[in-house]
């Protein structure tokens, strides 16, 4: 047996050596998923498969790097020749080569979320629509969802369900914004993140005989990590690549349905649950041994996830010892919760000799971090909040990058808008609006409209000087490497001088950030990258911009290194592990979120999120909740989360008992009380209205005295409404539930008005 195969358990080894045909590896938390994935690639290479014929798709650059490093330990430098990267980075690489076939330049710009929102905002303004009704984030989410479901603008208009939803939301022109947005992106030679998937699908759909066939022949083996997180579009791309007449269907999907937590981003659990329907000859391997956590933690996780309705059945187990029971902390207020957590961290550091970096505080929403930050600061405990402002989102960084983007692609309208008058050069908003209007009227880019715009002589001179400067930058970008060009642009644009003139601490920090960016570009220029077995010589500015456009927060090593307690949302914690984990804010309407409580599917996803949270813990798991906390400026009293009830007392170390009414019974002289009420089953959550005929009214139509229908609570009467606009909270009396009087935020309520 080859040495690397001897490192695997029996099921892992079977999953690695079953190289041909469709394979599904159901990998429980801490079960060695990455090892199986990387050793499978190494085994393919050892068996004679050319490394450049292997495509491995991940969700973070960090995961791709780790994969290559592990493969290299088995097969050496051949690991660098494997096509391993994120969906977005891999598809961007292909699009750079093939973009002309769908009408894009190879130097297309990649818009980040700010660019997309800016463009959508400009379109809403041009259409004279109410920006409070046509909320930019809502429109952007709508467009993203359409792309993720492969619905182009023309098909969107023909979809009566989508159009009806927009009419009910008082946003009937959403389809026009979508069409204009797509046209403007193409006019600007730009793609947003969704387009890197959407346009690749379009490329393959429109060019099946040449382009698609080329990549089918190129990639003989396809592997997908975190398969449960794929959306409809990603899976559609994968199927086009591997499922066709005569195909060997050499696809290996690795994932865990119990950790599918990104439905809000378009991911669908159906992809992994229904995988066998698409590939009937599928061989499935279940990795059920957990190498991360002790037995109490693993069994608590098993108990929780057993309440989900749709899942691939498995039983996770551990041989790392029984370990400590799950600790539960009840606090009266959120302030007490913060203090109790900080106290326990001090105790764990002293008693268990755990480092700050081995501790994580996980919460459902980012806003919960505040109270924990306050107490960690008071106790002088070093911490770092994960998910804050990314380095590449800082203003001074985005300003310089906009200049770099414009040097590569003059049609990039968002970059042009950002820097045409920064530093100030006498091209004001009125002039910029005229340029934009001319571009729209003539259906050309803003760059091509600069020469013909009707403005004052002074503004015309400023525009001419700006155009000349950008052309010089563009010429430099064709002959010099990325660092030389970026350094030149930083100086000649006036950005460096402007930052030097600000001698405040903030100003000096901004200058330091720009210098740090330039250092990063120098590092990019000096380090080699191997693509398809060849050392890449592309050190151009265009190559660098693509590289950083695809970075995510999870790739920022500075946020995960050093001796800091980590504070992050549970969504951000997926894939990470800590010796001690605190899952906080475990209250009904907070975790599970009140936005998920309308449907069984929503509760199932929240339960999977809780499952992910508790399986991050290796040795110590602490669950906390507060009886009261402020919400929208008012004190709110909450029941403990239903998820606490789903863990049996066998695995809990608690000083109280719970029941569904939220009444905690004090316990004297006993750490665990055994009168936990049996959790609600699916039968207990029967809907009181038929979803097929249920048609909720817009929230602004709900008024005091109305009779209404709610999917879960049934028929009710609106007794009172407090607050204004989007913050209206209704008190409603429902006849058909045990606790009839409910306070519900109307913008999330989904109520149907009854006659």
């Amino acid at each position: 047996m080859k040495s690397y195969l001897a490192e695997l358990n029996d099921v892992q080894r079977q999953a690695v050596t079953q190289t041909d045909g469709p394979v599904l590896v159901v990998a429980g938390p801490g079960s060695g998923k990455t090892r199986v994935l990387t050793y499978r690639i190494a085994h393919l290479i050892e068996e004679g498969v050319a490394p450049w014929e292997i495509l491995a798709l991940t969700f973070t650059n960090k995961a791709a790097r780790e994969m290559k490093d592990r493969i290299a330990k088995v097969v050496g430098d051949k690991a660098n020749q494997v096509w391993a990267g994120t969906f977005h980075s891999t598809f961007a690489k292909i699009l750079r080569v093939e973009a002309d076939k769908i009408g894009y330049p190879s130097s297309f710009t990649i818009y980040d979320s700010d660019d997309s929102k800016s463009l959508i905002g400009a379109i809403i303004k041009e259409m004279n629509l109410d920006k409070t009704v046509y909320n930019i984030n809502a429109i952007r989410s709508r467009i993203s969802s359409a792309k993720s479901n492969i619905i182009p603008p023309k098909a969107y208009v023909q979809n009566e369900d989508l159009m009806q939803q927009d009419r009910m939301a008082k946003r009937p022109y959403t389809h026009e914004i979508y069409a204009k947005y797509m046209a403007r992106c193409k006019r600007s030679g730009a793609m947003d993140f969704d387009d890197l998937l959407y346009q690749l699908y379009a490329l393959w759909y429109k060019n099946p005989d040449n382009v698609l066939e080329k990549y089918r022949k190129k990639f003989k083996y396809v592997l997908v990590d975190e398969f449960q997180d794929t959306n409809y579009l990603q899976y559609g791309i994968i199927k086009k690549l591997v499922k066709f007449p005569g195909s060997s269907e050499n696809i290996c999907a690795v994932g865990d349905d119990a950790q599918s937590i990104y439905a809000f981003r378009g991911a669908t659990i159906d992809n992994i649950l229904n995988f066998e329907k698409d590939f009937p000859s599928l061989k499935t391997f279940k990795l059920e041994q957990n190498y991360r956590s002790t037995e109490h933690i693993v069994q608590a996780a098993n108990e929780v996830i057993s309440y989900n309705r749709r899942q691939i059945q498995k039983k996770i187990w551990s041989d790392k010892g029984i370990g400590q029971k799950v600790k539960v902390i009840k606090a009266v207020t959120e302030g007490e919760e913060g203090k109790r957590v900080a106290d326990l961290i001090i105790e764990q550091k002293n008693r268990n000799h755990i480092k700050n970096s081995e501790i994580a505080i996980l919460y459902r929403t980012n806003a919960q971090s505040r109270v924990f930050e306050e107490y960690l600061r008071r106790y002088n405990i070093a911490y770092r909040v994960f998910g804050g402002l990314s380095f590449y989102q800082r203003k001074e960084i985005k300003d310089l990058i906009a200049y770099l983007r414009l040097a590569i692609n003059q049609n990039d309208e968002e970059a042009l808008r950002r820097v045409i008058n920064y530093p100030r050069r006498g091209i004001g908003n009125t002039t910029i609006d005229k340029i934009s209007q001319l571009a729209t009227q003539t259906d050309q880019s803003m760059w091509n409209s600069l020469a013909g715009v009707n403005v004052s002589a002074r503004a015309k001179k400023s525009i001419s000087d700006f155009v000349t400067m950008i052309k010089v930058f563009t010429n430099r970008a064709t002959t010099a490497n990325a660092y030389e060009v970026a350094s030149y642009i930083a100086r000649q644009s006036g950005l460096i001088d402007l930052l030097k003139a600000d001698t405040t601490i903030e100003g000096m920090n901004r200058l330091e950030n720009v210098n740090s960016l330039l250092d990063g570009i120098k590092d990019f220029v000096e380090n080699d990258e191997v693509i398809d077995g060849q050392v890449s010589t592309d050190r151009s500015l265009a190559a660098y911009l693509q590289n950083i456009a695809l970075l995510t927060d999870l790739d920022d090593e500075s946020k995960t290194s050093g001796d800091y307690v980590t504070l992050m949302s549970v969504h951000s914690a997926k894939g990470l592990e800590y010796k001690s984990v605190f899952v906080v804010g475990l209250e009904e309407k907070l975790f599970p979120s009140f936005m998920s409580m309308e449907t069984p599917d929503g509760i199932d996803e929240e339960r999977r999120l809780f499952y992910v949270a508790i399986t991050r813990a290796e040795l110590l798991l602490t669950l906390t909740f507060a009886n009261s906390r402020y919400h929208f400026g008012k004190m709110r009293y909450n029941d403990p989360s239903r998820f606490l009830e789903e863990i049996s007392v066998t695995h809990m170390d608690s000083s109280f008992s719970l029941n569904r009414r939220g009444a905690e019974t004090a316990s004297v002289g006993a750490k665990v009380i055994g009168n936990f009420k049996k959790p609600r089953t699916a039968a207990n959550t029967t809907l009181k209205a038929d979803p097929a005929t249920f048609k909720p009214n817009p929230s602004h139509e709900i008024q005091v005295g109305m009779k209404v229908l709610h999917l879960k609570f049934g028929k009710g009467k609106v007794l009172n409404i407090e607050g204004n606009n989007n913050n209206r909270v209704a008190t409603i009396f429902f006849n058909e539930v045990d606790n009839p009087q409910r306070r519900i935020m109307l913008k999330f309520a989904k109520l149907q008005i009854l006659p």
Side-chain angles (χ1 to χ4, degrees), residues 1 59 126 179 446 636 707 735:
M1 183 185 296
F59 277 84
E126 289 168 10
M446 286 180 67
R636 186 172 75 181
K707 293 179 181 179
N735 304 316

Side-chain angles (χ1 to χ4, degrees), residues 672-690:
V672 179
I673 300 299
N675 61 343
F676 281 63
K677 183 176 177 183
K678 183 175 176 60
R680 292 181 298 184
T681 62
N684 297 118
T685 58
T686 303
L687 298 179
K688 291 183 169 58
D690 183 357

Side-chain angles (χ1 to χ4, degrees), residues 596-617:
S596 71
M597 296 172 71
E598 300 290 334
T599 65
D601 282 345
I603 289 295
D604 279 3
E605 173 126 348
E606 289 289 299
R607 188 175 286 109
R608 292 194 294 268
L609 190 59
F610 181 56
Y611 178 84
V612 166
I614 61 181
T615 55
R616 300 310 94 200

Side-chain angles (χ1 to χ4, degrees), residues 431-479:
T431 299
I432 295 171
D433 286 344
K434 286 184 177 181
I435 298 167
S436 178
Q437 289 165 9
L438 179 61
T440 301
Q441 291 165 5
T442 57
D443 193 24
Q444 60 181 349
S445 68
M446 286 180 67
W447 174 263
N448 290 329
S449 302
L450 292 175
V453 69
N454 184 20
V455 291
S456 68
R458 181 182 175 187
K460 229 173 185 34
K461 174 67 165 56
S462 297
I463 291 172
S464 177
D465 291 345
F466 175 74
V467 168
T468 300
M469 179 179 68
I470 298 300
K471 285 181 176 178
V472 171
F473 295 167
T474 300
N475 289 336
R476 286 230 170 200
T478 61
T479 57

Side-chain angles (χ1 to χ4, degrees), residues 102 149-150 155 179 224 254 530 659 673:
I102 51 172
N149 287 285
I150 320 179
V224 186
V254 181
V530 179
N659 60 50
I673 300 299

